[in-house]
Amino acid sequence: MLKRAVLLVGILLVVTAGAKPVVVGGTVASTTEAPWAIALNNTQSVSSSGRYCGAALVAPDKIVTAAHCMDEAVSTYYAVQGRANLEDDSVGQVSAISKAWVHPGYNTKDHRYDVAVLTLATPFVGVPVLPLETRARSDRRGAVPTVYGWGDTQGTGPDETLQKAAVPDLGDKACLAVKSYVSNGYAAATNVCAGYLAGGTDACQGDSGGPLVLNGRLLGVVSWGQGCAQPGKPGVYTEIAGAAKALLQQVRTAQQVR
Ligand code: ARG
């Protein structure tokens, strides 16, 4: 089933589980270098592999994804760790989702706080986790974070396979200079603007919820963009630091409950 939320000016916010996979203009990544990269699959996916969204392991029993990924019943989701090729179910581990917390500030009008914290029914014990980047100043022009995901490559890479791409932080001004991005709700305090103004490399459909990593920390979550890898239309990420308090609370709660 294909679900879409077409925003103003034809901005595609959600196109889940397309026929092709993820990051455009990236390279293949291994699950050894990105053990905390989680495929948030769904039984309702149009892809036979279940490909749906991305996520990041931030505690043994906790993953962070995008709020807009949580549009199906919680019972239909499952997290997959350690599987670079989603069609190869001989490797990796799988967990059901026992609880979903969607940021209360998320709304489909301005797309702010597009972040959710899910609790794994079966914790991925012993897997390196990605700490949250809680410092707002880490989102600064010139930094070069890397985005990971199994989403659409638009023909630039193999399907259903974990890809990564370095996407320079362009600074909030770059996205605030794009009219359609302002009307779509881009906000300096809660978003990261990253990619290439020339186009060519970007996250894409199916990467949503996946990690934007800087210096070993989760800087952002793949949220939206106008098309993928289009000139002048960078990727928009949920800024973790912009929701740090609530996120830390969720992550710690889950850890204590265990
Ligand atoms: N909303 C998309 C998804 O559900 C992710 C879009 C990211 N787009 C971009 N151009 N960076 O997978």
Side-chain angles (χ1 to χ4, degrees):
M1 166 172 61
L2 186 69
K3 290 205 161 189
R4 282 166 191 248
V6 181
L7 308 181
L8 315 171
V9 220
I11 294 177
L12 286 179
L13 177 69
V14 187
V15 177
T16 51
K20 286 182 300 177
V22 183
V23 173
V24 176
T27 55
V28 172
S30 77
T31 55
T32 311
E33 64 178 293
W36 29 255
I38 302 295
L40 181 61
N41 286 8
N42 192 282
T43 56
Q44 307 293 103
S45 170
V46 296
S47 161
S48 59
S49 72
R51 185 175 73 99
Y52 200 80
C53 269
L57 190 71
V58 297
D61 67 341
K62 288 282 291 142
I63 62 174
V64 170
T65 186
H68 85 259
C69 286
M70 302 311 294
D71 55 353
E72 300 283 351
V74 174
S75 61
T76 60
Y77 291 90
Y78 55 102
V80 183
Q81 187 276 332
R83 188 175 297 167
N85 178 350
L86 290 183
E87 279 160 351
D88 179 9
D89 56 15
S90 70
V91 297
Q93 49 185 331
V94 176
S95 171
I97 306 302
S98 60
K99 191 183 134 195
W101 174 87
V102 174
H103 196 292
Y106 174 68
N107 68 84
T108 53
K109 241 184 261 154
D110 62 22
H111 315 104
R112 304 221 176 125
Y113 302 109
D114 187 9
V115 64
V117 178
L118 312 185
T119 304
L120 302 176
T122 313
F124 294 150
V125 177
V127 175
V129 300
L130 207 52
L132 304 181
E133 178 53 87
T134 58
R135 296 164 300 187
R137 60 161 193 270
S138 296
D139 172 22
R140 62 155 161 262
R141 190 165 58 91
V144 186
T146 300
V147 62
Y148 295 81
W150 286 263
D152 290 348
T153 64
Q154 298 191 330
T156 63
D159 281 359
E160 311 286 321
T161 300
L162 181 61
Q163 301 271 305
K164 64 173 173 182
V167 282
D169 189 328
L170 300 172
D172 294 308
K173 278 184 195 153
C175 278
L176 290 171
V178 183
K179 256 197 186 155
S180 57
Y181 278 26
V182 173
S183 53
N184 201 39
Y186 186 94
T190 53
N191 287 126
V192 176
C193 179
Y196 296 85
L197 290 174
T201 299
D202 192 7
C204 198
Q205 316 319 324
D207 287 325
S208 278
L212 179 69
V213 181
L214 181 65
N215 298 328
R217 284 185 281 272
L218 183 63
L219 176 69
V221 167
V222 177
S223 184
W224 55 274
Q226 191 167 343
C228 302
Q230 297 295 310
K233 302 286 157 50
V236 177
Y237 298 79
T238 310
E239 184 176 338
I240 292 297
K245 216 178 153 194
L247 290 172
L248 283 173
Q249 210 172 341
Q250 287 304 316
V251 172
R252 284 182 188 141
T253 301
Q255 282 171 329
Q256 279 160 10
V257 167
R258 244 183 42 249

